[in-house]
Amino acid sequence: MISINNLSVEFSAKSLFDNINYVINKKDKIALVGKNGAGKSTMLKIICGLQKPTSGSVSVPQDVTIGYLPQQMVLSDTLTVIEEVRKAFSHIDTLHAEVEKINQELLTREDYESDSYQRLIERLSTLTERIAIEESDNCEAEMEKTLLGLGFLRTDFDRPTSEFSGGWRMRIELAKLLLQRPDVLLLDEPTNHLDIESIQWLENFLITKANAVVLVSHDRAFIDNVTNRTIEISLGRIYDYSVNYSKYVVLRQERIEQQMRAYQNQQKQIQDTEEFIERFRYKATKAVQVQSRMKQLAKIERIEVDEVDTSRLNLKFPPAPRSGDYPVIADDLGKAYGTHQVFDHATFTIKRGEKVAFVGKNGEGKSTLVKCIMGEIPYTGELKIGHNVKIGYFAQNQAQLLDGEITVFDTIDRVAVGDIRTKIRDILGAFMFGGEASDKKVKVLSGGEKTRLAMIRLLLEPVNLLILDEPTNHLDMKTKDILKQAIKDFNGTVIVVSHDREFLDGLVEKVYEFGGGRVKECLGGIYEFLEKKKLASLQELELSKSPGGTRSKDTTPRQAPAGNKPTSDTARAAESRPRNGAQSYAEQREREKTTRRLRKRVEEAEASIAALEGKVADVETRISAGDVSSDIFNEHASLQKQLENAMSVWELATIELEEFLAE
């Protein structure tokens, strides 16, 4: 559909792309990956025609439409949200105008057998079909569905776009782009301004409704779920595989290893041949063999090993000074802006050394609570910061606060004090700003490079409470992995505000959910939280359909007793207790029906746990018998994860049944 031909790009005599070729086909879902500065955003700009290559071309058929969402854009603020989004359908008027123009031309033409006449007929047919399809959709319903999916409320639709932050205005542009349904969607970091729920909605949209997609994202879970092809840009070349990112990484490593083995074998063959030639070069009796070996050597097609990008970020947080046992204690904490209550009655305690996540929809108070902890804004209730707590704060817009007119070195030199000033070059080198890179002006850096530069400030003095507000925005996957490991190794307390599921997985042991003016604590990692939340949402939906719209009073899961096997005995005991108040026959029947359904859910959860426990036991038996392959350990870890999730499902199902029977 779109063909990239012999594409080369140079900046200041430095090659960014070198003779690149590939094709974007219909229904391709492509992940465009590579380290920061590799040229991913440049590639998207070239495909959509906003930037010209040094040489080569991009061939786009005339009837193929392209939609492009950049990382940053200048937005107009003269309309309401719904009026701005309605612009997505303005192209239908353009299609009608083109149909009218073709009809007028056909009235004056008589060369019915000519190729140009046939092309006009085909174009008219294509346009008519497209208009019919476009107008068959309910535009208003589609706009509402898309805006709600991206996190807007119905009450937001008639608000001026000027009232929204830059992140929310980017969502408006994304909504317009998705509603236009272009043949090729080019998305540059679309998840940077989305919360977890909106990311999951966008995943489903791209999988089920989008045509071809070329996606730049550093959210590994997102691109793994959406894409079926990976193109990595590395050191001016591309590596193209018809698999998602995780499978690509494995195949890429295998290919490099095979290539290296072939290279080493060939080098040995070349060395042996050269030694033979050198040894017998001047012996007349070996002249024929020497000439033969020389010809053989000349014909060898030399194997080249793909150049591996060995530049690596060296990130390690300084040792944390010891703080009090409880760095943060909140009691009945609240924050309101005028009549809008962001959150209220927040009560929680963060212990020394804990790593926790703040998650929830944008605007629900995550960053607001961080500002309360930082003492930047007033609040109600009580908030105690523990003894000897030293906070290191990485704000969401930290990279944007940098002065673009000074150099990388000067940026750090202006904030460094004492002996650290003698080590600025070493620190910059560890963050991949070595050599000439330290003399670059900040304004020419990529988004990821600016984020890395802002992160250096965090390392200039030891802290024991790290507060990181969206630290992974614009970071490439390798740098995110390094940052994640550095946070794991950090011996202080960490609060991470993030929507990146893969980044949070295995990093945090507790999740605080912000929503509906409340802050709820959930023990466990991010995927355990999402599984419980999904089940809780389904339960609320089911209960809202029951008579009177009864809802569960508390969907917060309670910890099952250690070592206890799941059992519904407690639920059965609760069921046998008499209930006060007379009920009609219909109410009793409805209650019995709901009880049966809830008990069946508990029993199904118990059966699932029993089956998984059996599988785990089988794997452990194989391991004890001597099977120590990597695959079996991966299988064991996967089954354990499934078992933990099944236990969580059982806990929620049992709690719901007990509470229903206790009413």
Side-chain angles (χ1 to χ4, degrees):
M1 188 163 56
I2 294 180
S3 178
I4 288 80
N5 309 303
N6 304 316
L7 198 70
S8 296
V9 174
E10 293 182 1
F11 289 116
S12 303
K14 181 182 177 182
S15 178
L16 187 64
F17 303 138
D18 184 20
N19 201 34
I20 287 176
N21 295 274
Y22 64 96
V23 174
I24 301 171
N25 303 301
K26 289 182 178 179
K27 297 299 179 182
D28 269 350
K29 303 288 194 302
I30 299 173
L32 194 61
V33 300
K35 74 169 192 173
N36 291 129
K40 304 184 294 295
S41 297
T42 301
M43 179 67 76
L44 294 186
K45 290 175 184 175
I46 290 173
I47 293 173
C48 70
L50 292 179
Q51 188 170 323
K52 297 293 183 183
T54 305
S55 62
S57 63
V58 176
S59 301
V60 183
Q62 183 180 359
D63 58 342
V64 170
T65 57
I66 296 177
Y68 171 54
L69 181 77
Q71 279 188 37
Q72 299 173 340
M73 60 172 58
V74 178
L75 303 170
S76 61
D77 292 316
T78 58
L79 302 173
T80 65
V81 171
I82 199 70
E83 288 170 343
E84 186 67 35
V85 172
R86 198 171 279 120
K87 289 181 180 179
F89 300 101
S90 61
H91 65 286
I92 297 178
D93 295 333
T94 305
L95 296 178
H96 277 293
E98 188 175 352
V99 166
E100 180 62 26
K101 183 179 178 182
I102 292 174
N103 282 328
Q104 291 297 326
E105 185 174 348
L106 290 175
L107 288 174
T108 61
R109 297 275 294 265
E110 296 182 357
D111 52 334
Y112 308 123
E113 302 299 325
S114 68
D115 290 340
S116 62
Y117 191 90
Q118 292 303 315
R119 284 196 296 271
L120 276 178
I121 295 294
E122 290 173 4
R123 179 61 179 166
L124 181 62
S125 176
T126 300
L127 289 171
T128 304
E129 289 176 7
R130 186 165 179 179
I131 290 172
I133 293 171
E134 296 269 9
E135 292 185 338
S136 66
D137 294 331
N138 187 330
C139 297
E140 295 297 322
E142 285 296 311
M143 285 191 293
E144 180 177 324
K145 191 187 305 180
T146 303
L147 285 171
L148 292 175
L150 289 173
F152 289 91
L153 303 175
R154 285 186 175 86
T155 52
D156 293 330
F157 292 0
D158 294 321
R159 289 173 58 190
T161 58
S162 57
E163 293 183 6
F164 292 87
S165 66
W168 283 96
R169 281 180 283 176
M170 287 291 284
R171 292 191 190 205
I172 295 170
E173 292 303 310
L174 178 58
K176 288 162 59 179
L177 199 60
L178 297 179
L179 287 166
Q180 288 169 7
R181 304 284 177 86
D183 297 309
V184 182
L185 263 175
L186 308 178
L187 303 177
D188 196 350
E189 296 289 3
T191 64
N192 275 358
H193 303 288
L194 301 181
D195 51 59
I196 289 177
E197 293 180 5
S198 297
I199 290 173
Q200 291 176 319
W201 179 88
L202 180 59
E203 278 181 7
N204 183 64
F205 182 95
L206 295 178
I207 292 168
T208 59
K209 295 186 178 180
N211 297 309
V213 177
V214 182
L215 177 66
V216 174
S217 177
H218 298 136
D219 186 328
R220 184 174 293 146
F222 178 69
I223 63 172
D224 264 350
N225 292 339
V226 170
T227 62
N228 53 25
R229 179 180 171 193
T230 304
I231 296 178
E232 181 174 3
I233 303 175
S234 179
L235 302 167
R237 290 180 286 182
I238 66 166
Y239 303 94
D240 191 347
Y241 280 79
S242 298
V243 293
N244 67 9
Y245 181 81
S246 292
K247 293 178 181 177
Y248 165 76
V249 170
V250 176
L251 293 174
R252 160 82 165 148
Q253 184 60 33
E254 290 176 356
R255 186 171 73 87
I256 292 294
E257 290 173 357
Q258 292 171 357
Q259 201 176 55
M260 181 59 73
R261 285 194 294 270
Y263 172 79
Q264 290 170 346
N265 290 336
Q266 188 183 70
Q267 289 299 304
K268 187 177 185 306
Q269 178 188 352
I270 291 171
Q271 183 180 353
D272 291 345
T273 304
E274 288 176 342
E275 287 177 355
F276 181 90
I277 293 170
E278 190 63 32
R279 184 184 305 169
F280 299 110
R281 180 185 295 273
Y282 303 108
K283 288 194 176 183
T285 56
K286 297 286 187 179
V288 175
Q289 291 94 321
V290 168
Q291 288 296 321
S292 175
R293 297 291 177 91
M294 291 177 69
K295 290 178 182 178
Q296 182 183 0
L297 190 63
K299 290 180 180 179
I300 290 178
E301 187 173 339
R302 305 296 175 104
I303 295 173
E304 293 184 1
V305 178
D306 291 331
E307 185 180 357
V308 178
D309 186 358
T310 56
S311 60
R312 188 169 179 84
L313 175 64
N314 179 21
L315 175 56
K316 186 176 181 181
F317 290 103
R322 186 176 178 85
S323 70
D325 290 339
Y326 302 101
V328 181
I329 301 175
D331 185 16
D332 210 27
L333 192 67
K335 176 60 187 175
Y337 290 104
T339 59
H340 175 55
Q341 190 73 40
V342 183
F343 58 83
D344 203 4
H345 305 299
T347 300
F348 60 89
T349 300
I350 299 176
K351 299 177 183 177
R352 183 181 66 241
E354 279 190 330
K355 295 176 174 63
V356 306
F358 286 0
V359 303
K361 290 185 177 180
N362 292 346
E364 293 289 354
K366 302 185 299 294
S367 297
T368 300
L369 181 51
V370 167
K371 290 176 181 177
C372 292
I373 295 172
M374 293 297 300
E376 295 180 358
I377 56 175
Y379 50 82
T380 59
E382 191 173 0
L383 180 62
K384 293 181 181 178
I385 304 301
H387 172 67
N388 197 37
V389 170
K390 298 180 179 179
I391 301 176
Y393 178 38
F394 183 89
Q396 193 174 109
N397 62 340
Q398 200 83 39
Q400 298 171 11
L401 300 177
L402 299 174
D403 185 347
E405 297 302 323
I406 64 174
T407 66
V408 170
F409 180 88
D410 289 338
T411 299
I412 302 305
D413 186 47
R414 291 185 182 185
V415 296
V417 294
D419 294 341
I420 200 73
R421 298 195 66 186
T422 64
K423 301 177 181 178
I424 291 177
R425 293 284 182 189
D426 294 336
I427 293 172
L428 290 174
F431 275 76
M432 295 166 20
F433 288 117
E436 296 178 357
S438 64
D439 296 322
K440 285 183 178 179
K441 283 196 173 183
V442 172
K443 64 182 180 182
V444 304
L445 301 179
S446 68
E449 288 170 329
K450 288 179 181 177
T451 299
R452 286 208 310 268
L453 185 59
M455 192 72 70
I456 296 177
R457 293 183 169 190
L458 212 53
L459 303 178
L460 294 181
E461 60 178 295
V463 298
N464 48 31
L465 173 57
L466 277 175
I467 302 179
L468 308 174
D469 194 351
E470 299 291 3
T472 61
N473 281 1
H474 307 296
L475 290 183
D476 60 60
M477 292 184 188
K478 289 181 181 178
T479 307
K480 279 204 310 183
D481 289 341
I482 294 164
L483 175 60
K484 181 175 178 177
Q485 189 59 49
I487 297 172
K488 280 185 176 181
D489 296 339
F490 178 61
N491 61 339
T493 309
V494 182
I495 298 172
V496 184
V497 181
S498 180
H499 58 254
D500 191 325
R501 294 156 293 172
E502 194 277 333
F503 182 75
L504 293 175
D505 186 32
L507 177 62
V508 300
E509 63 257 31
K510 191 188 293 183
V511 174
Y512 289 98
E513 181 192 10
F514 289 68
R518 294 288 182 266
V519 181
K520 299 177 184 177
E521 179 181 282
C522 179
L523 298 178
I526 188 66
Y527 282 107
E528 287 83 357
F529 160 74
L530 290 173
E531 185 66 29
K532 293 171 187 175
K533 182 174 174 60
K534 180 180 179 183
L535 182 64
S537 298
L538 290 173
Q539 290 171 345
E540 289 184 1
L541 180 62
E542 289 291 328
L543 289 172
S544 67
K545 293 177 182 177
S546 63
T550 306
R551 298 173 70 89
S552 173
K553 294 177 182 177
D554 182 11
T555 57
T556 305
R558 293 193 284 262
Q559 187 66 33
N564 283 4
K565 295 282 287 182
T567 173
S568 53
D569 290 344
T570 312
R572 293 189 181 99
E575 182 183 2
S576 66
R577 291 195 297 268
R579 295 186 301 274
N580 295 327
Q583 288 183 313
S584 69
Y585 177 74
E587 288 173 336
Q588 290 178 12
R589 289 291 302 272
E590 186 63 37
R591 186 175 183 85
E592 289 169 1
K593 181 180 177 182
T594 303
T595 302
R596 285 196 300 271
R597 175 172 52 78
L598 295 176
R599 285 192 58 185
K600 182 180 179 183
R601 187 178 295 168
V602 172
E603 290 164 0
E604 288 174 348
E606 290 173 359
S608 176
I609 289 170
L612 287 167
E613 285 179 336
K615 292 180 180 179
V616 170
D618 289 342
V619 171
E620 289 175 347
T621 301
R622 286 158 55 194
I623 292 173
S624 61
D627 186 351
V628 292
S629 64
S630 61
D631 288 343
I632 198 167
F633 287 112
N634 291 336
E635 183 182 356
H636 185 265
S638 175
L639 287 170
Q640 287 284 15
K641 188 88 169 178
Q642 292 176 45
L643 183 57
E644 290 173 10
N645 289 337
M647 286 291 291
S648 297
V649 171
W650 170 81
E651 288 171 19
L652 284 171
T654 303
I655 289 167
E656 184 182 8
L657 177 57
E658 290 175 359
E659 291 179 344
F660 179 77
L661 295 174
E663 290 176 351

